[in-house]
Amino acid sequence: MKVVVSRDNPLIKRVRALSQSARDRRKMDQTVLDGAHLLRAALEAGQAPVEVVVSDQGLEREEIRSLVASCPASSVSQVPDALFAHISPVDSPSGVLAVLRMPTEPVTPLDMSRSLVVLDRVQDPGNLGTLLRTAAAAGLTQAVLTQGCAQVWAPKVLRAGMGAHFNLAIHERLDAASLLRDFDGQVLATALGPTAKSLYLLDLSGPVAWLFGAEGSGVSAELLTIASDQVIIPMPGRVESLNVSAAAAICLFEQVRQTRPSDR
Ligand code: SAM
């Protein structure tokens, strides 16, 4: 394990740039994750971190020590706590972070006979990560992200995803409208218009392509036109809409309720 103490060290400069700048992440084709849970999820998914950085305090935790021990010593650097805080992408650094190559697009094509989520221009990193986490928790295995979503491998999205990134096939550069024409099931666009049907009146026992929309403008007009139905979660209270990730949790777990009666 190397010991690094200077802010001028090239490793420190590189990790800080990756933590702070979407442009630098794209340029270097790498990203940063912070936290023992995320690092374990990445390692279990077969990712080989390019660098692992651990703080003095982090090394005092058994969980972090054993994770670090499972990485090649040549890829691990120990830094003082203040230097770790300087390069971590999060406000409350955990004591361990890793640099990963930005994973490439899944090699397997989308399975159009299985449920999936389409996330349309979801810009908030916390919402995007939470949506992926919710989809993975509901047992889905594939997600499509339209142009205009936050950078899916950004540190804040990884953090909110809590490892879901490594359990989903995430397709980023597909034309969602044309691919959904071949979907072998219902295409349900969540929306708030007067023609939307109540979620609780729908039969969700077959495959569903769920469309969730941008925080401000909702699902795009183009995607709305190809949906087999628009779906609303009835809201008896006096608010305009739900947060998109809250809406997704309600829809996806209504599908779980309908398809897994043995869980009741
Ligand atoms: N003005 C936007 C609209 O009319 O769609 C509101 C967008 S809302 C904040 C963001 C996303 O959350 C929506 O695109 C939809 O996916 C989901 N959503 C929020 N509240 C919902 C509800 N009550 N029923 C269904 N979906 C909802």
Side-chain angles (χ1 to χ4, degrees):
M1 186 186 319
K2 293 159 274 184
V3 175
V4 176
V5 293
S6 164
R7 284 190 180 206
D8 296 328
N9 184 290
L11 169 72
I12 298 301
K13 288 186 171 168
R14 186 156 56 89
V15 178
R16 187 170 154 89
L18 288 169
S19 289
Q20 295 194 332
S21 156
R23 227 178 90 214
D24 284 329
R25 287 192 290 274
R26 269 194 299 272
K27 214 161 68 190
M28 296 187 232
D29 218 20
Q30 294 180 346
T31 188
V32 180
L33 57 79
D34 183 297
H37 173 84
L38 271 179
L39 177 56
R40 185 175 322 100
L43 292 171
E44 283 172 4
Q47 297 283 336
V50 181
E51 303 282 353
V52 175
V53 183
V54 63
S55 71
D56 292 342
Q57 270 190 17
L59 264 188
E60 287 169 16
R61 285 175 46 200
E62 170 52 32
E63 184 189 19
I64 292 182
R65 261 205 316 276
S66 71
L67 270 175
V68 165
S70 69
C71 300
S74 58
S75 67
V76 181
S77 303
Q78 180 179 354
V79 302
D81 298 332
L83 196 50
F84 190 90
H86 176 68
I87 58 173
S88 168
V90 299
D91 293 337
S92 318
S94 67
V96 66
L97 61 75
V99 174
L100 294 186
R101 269 175 215 94
M102 209 98 87
T104 49
E105 291 276 310
V107 275
T108 43
L110 278 168
D111 182 344
M112 300 308 261
S113 64
R114 302 190 65 175
S115 291
L116 53 89
V117 286
V118 176
L119 309 179
D120 185 23
R121 297 164 298 135
V122 175
Q123 285 155 359
D124 179 84
N127 281 343
L128 186 57
T130 306
L131 281 159
L132 296 175
R133 181 181 182 181
T134 304
L140 300 196
T141 54
Q142 32 188 17
V144 174
L145 275 55
T146 69
Q147 191 80 34
C149 279
Q151 194 182 64
V152 70
W153 294 97
K156 284 187 181 149
V157 183
L158 280 162
R159 177 80 153 196
M162 287 299 282
H165 286 70
F166 304 110
N167 294 314
L168 288 167
I170 300 174
H171 296 264
E172 277 190 274
R173 278 170 278 274
L174 299 182
D175 175 356
S178 61
L179 77 89
L180 285 173
R181 291 183 218 283
D182 296 329
F183 188 72
D184 198 7
Q186 299 182 83
V187 177
L188 297 180
T190 52
L192 297 153
T195 60
K197 294 182 181 167
S198 164
L199 172 70
Y200 303 113
L201 298 178
L202 294 172
D203 176 357
L204 303 173
S205 53
V208 177
W210 291 100
L211 312 191
F212 298 104
E215 289 87 352
S217 54
V219 174
S220 72
E222 185 190 18
L223 287 177
L224 284 179
T225 59
I226 55 150
S228 26
D229 274 307
Q230 294 185 20
V231 183
I232 187 166
I233 303 157
M235 297 177 295
R238 286 167 60 89
V239 291
E240 192 223 340
S241 64
L242 294 164
N243 166 280
V244 62
S245 44
I250 294 167
C251 294
L252 298 180
F253 279 86
E254 172 60 12
Q255 188 182 19
V256 169
R257 191 188 69 80
Q258 290 192 23
T259 50
R260 295 179 57 103
S262 57
D263 288 348
R264 274 177 219 156

